[in-house]
Amino acid sequence: MGAVVITLDNMEDRHRDLYNTMNLHLFRYKEGKTTLHNHSEYIDRNGMFIIRHYPMLNYGTLWIKFNPSKLLNGNNIVPLLDFNPSQVMGILGDLVKGIIDLSVAPPTRFFKASEIEVPLNICLTVKEAQELYDLIGKIETMGQFRQYNTEFADAGTLYFKTGRNNDECIRVKIYFKMKQAVAKSIISNSNSYINQGKDIIRFEATLSRRWINRLFTKSLGAYNTNTGAYQTILGSEEAIEALGSLDDIADMEFRLNLIQDILNQFNLNKRMIPKNMLMREIERLYPYPLNTTVKDAIRHLNGDSHTKRPSETTLYKYRKEILDAGMHYLYTDTCIIEPISAHEILCDSANLI
């Protein structure tokens, strides 16, 4: 689990007891919100803890940001499968003594998740990790996602999002996790976490409150794993508003299904193979001379030279048919990368440590 932002609304009304425990002398007013005077003094480095209070919003909204993995494991290298919300709130309560008394806070289901990061560690050989990263880097647009901040691609980080406004979109960040951890002095070397010759591609999705509301309104917190479809809910506006709480986003199935859905949108649930193998598969699937047209389309999608630019209709048709055949239309250099399953990765403890 990556960082989580939770909020508690109407503190001066429904949760006055909690509001009254806040040490307002520790806060500084700025631009409609109050923040702690000295973040370095009150932020727990292991928990990545940040706290703010918005007195002019919803009659006083408490805003807390933390990382469950850091709280429970000491770092965020290994994502959590799930966590106990009450346990996490207990740890947070110990960290914020003197700031606010969370022991009088309402149950965790009253805390809304305003932003969540859902990470996935894809553990591969060093060569496979680099080729997977290069393959994803070829993607300009995929489904709802569009690549942006491309100036950081050569430095080892890819960025995608579904819209222009961060509050209205899902953002995806893809990077080399172990290199980042060493660069930030989180660890001295990667051998304590993965076998020598291995590397980790971190696939990290960030959702705003608007998207959290959308997903939970449609699905009651998780996809129907039997049908692969969203469930429809019936209920009052109050019931819908209560969805997406800290309890909801702590659910393992919700996170696994969410990250798998995004992986599928990038077609990483397809087999990724080298160019020569993909061309042979095209020859097997299509007769000559049609297969030359298909090859030109695939070369174009991979940024390779070809005789002429295929039409958008041709590109769409053969891209879809290759994907339907179980293969990614973007090819690797030399490696074969099998379809990526969030369930298999996160449920296989042998991938890490």
Side-chain angles (χ1 to χ4, degrees):
M1 191 77 176
V4 174
V5 178
I6 56 174
T7 57
L8 187 65
D9 295 339
N10 304 315
M11 286 181 60
E12 296 180 19
D13 183 11
R14 290 185 297 169
H15 311 304
R16 181 174 293 276
D17 289 345
L18 178 62
Y19 175 80
N20 289 335
T21 71
M22 182 175 286
N23 187 345
L24 295 176
H25 295 292
L26 298 175
F27 288 82
R28 174 178 54 202
Y29 182 82
K30 184 180 180 181
E31 297 177 356
K33 63 177 180 288
T34 57
T35 60
L36 293 178
H37 279 305
N38 188 341
H39 276 257
S40 62
E41 181 179 353
Y42 292 105
I43 293 175
D44 181 89
R45 296 300 178 184
N46 291 327
M48 204 178 76
F49 168 76
I50 301 173
I51 184 171
R52 292 177 183 171
H53 176 237
Y54 294 76
M56 306 304 293
L57 181 64
N58 294 333
Y59 303 101
T61 293
L62 177 67
W63 186 97
I64 301 175
K65 181 177 180 179
F66 62 94
N67 190 307
S69 298
K70 288 186 177 181
L71 285 178
L72 297 171
N73 297 332
N75 61 59
N76 70 342
I77 295 174
V78 182
L80 288 177
L81 289 172
D82 56 4
F83 65 90
N84 184 314
S86 297
Q87 180 188 13
V88 166
M89 290 300 292
I91 296 172
L92 284 173
D94 290 338
L95 293 173
V96 300
K97 284 180 179 177
I99 301 173
I100 190 171
D101 183 6
L102 291 181
S103 68
V104 300
T108 51
R109 68 177 182 275
F110 285 91
F111 284 86
K112 296 180 183 178
S114 293
E115 183 178 281
I116 58 173
E117 291 177 359
V118 183
L120 177 73
N121 282 351
I122 304 172
C123 188
L124 302 164
T125 68
V126 172
K127 177 66 172 173
E128 289 170 342
Q130 184 62 58
E131 292 203 18
L132 176 61
Y133 181 87
D134 292 342
L135 181 147
I136 299 172
K138 296 178 184 178
I139 300 171
E140 295 181 5
T141 59
M142 181 71 73
Q144 301 180 61
F145 289 93
R146 178 180 296 275
Q147 189 174 171
Y148 71 108
N149 284 351
T150 54
E151 64 270 23
F152 297 107
D154 290 341
T157 305
L158 300 170
Y159 295 91
F160 294 84
K161 61 181 179 180
T162 58
R164 294 183 178 180
N165 188 337
N166 287 344
D167 293 332
E168 308 249 347
C169 68
I170 297 176
R171 288 166 283 151
V172 171
K173 179 181 176 183
I174 300 160
Y175 57 100
F176 294 92
K177 181 60 183 177
M178 305 314 294
K179 293 177 184 177
Q180 183 220 46
V182 172
K184 291 188 174 183
S185 299
I186 298 173
I187 58 175
S188 58
N189 63 75
S190 61
N191 293 338
S192 299
Y193 290 88
I194 55 176
N195 296 327
Q196 190 171 5
K198 295 282 188 177
D199 206 344
I200 290 175
I201 293 290
R202 179 73 149 237
F203 198 95
E204 195 169 87
T206 301
L207 277 72
S208 66
R209 178 64 194 176
R210 180 164 299 193
W211 269 96
I212 295 169
N213 272 340
R214 287 178 184 175
L215 291 181
F216 279 93
T217 300
K218 288 181 177 179
S219 65
L220 273 177
Y223 298 124
N224 183 325
T225 53
N226 293 324
T227 65
Y230 287 111
Q231 299 173 8
T232 301
I233 67 169
L234 298 174
S236 64
E237 290 186 7
E238 290 78 10
I240 293 175
E241 179 67 17
L243 294 173
S245 70
L246 179 59
D247 289 1
D248 292 325
I249 61 97
D251 177 68
M252 180 174 64
E253 281 301 308
F254 161 68
R255 296 201 306 280
L256 288 176
N257 288 321
L258 169 68
I259 201 73
Q260 186 64 56
D261 181 67
I262 296 174
L263 287 171
N264 294 352
Q265 289 193 50
F266 281 78
N267 297 310
L268 299 184
N269 60 331
K270 305 298 182 181
R271 197 167 189 243
M272 291 155 269
I273 58 179
K275 176 181 179 179
N276 60 340
M277 288 183 61
L278 184 55
M279 293 304 168
R280 286 200 298 269
E281 287 295 321
I282 291 173
E283 291 172 357
R284 183 180 65 82
L285 292 170
Y286 300 92
Y288 180 84
L290 177 59
N291 58 35
T292 60
T293 301
V294 181
K295 288 179 181 180
D296 279 348
I298 297 304
R299 288 192 188 99
H300 177 83
L301 291 168
N302 280 271
D304 279 358
S305 59
H306 50 85
T307 55
K308 64 178 181 179
R309 189 188 192 285
S311 69
E312 290 300 324
T313 301
T314 297
L315 292 173
Y316 176 83
K317 172 180 172 61
Y318 295 122
R319 177 176 59 190
K320 182 179 184 303
E321 290 182 359
I322 293 297
L323 290 170
D324 289 344
M327 297 169 290
H328 207 296
Y329 60 88
L330 296 177
Y331 39 72
T332 63
D333 184 9
T334 61
C335 294
I336 297 175
I337 303 173
E338 298 299 336
I340 298 172
S341 165
H343 286 74
E344 289 181 6
I345 290 174
L346 291 181
C347 294
D348 183 5
S349 59
N351 279 300
L352 291 171
I353 304 181

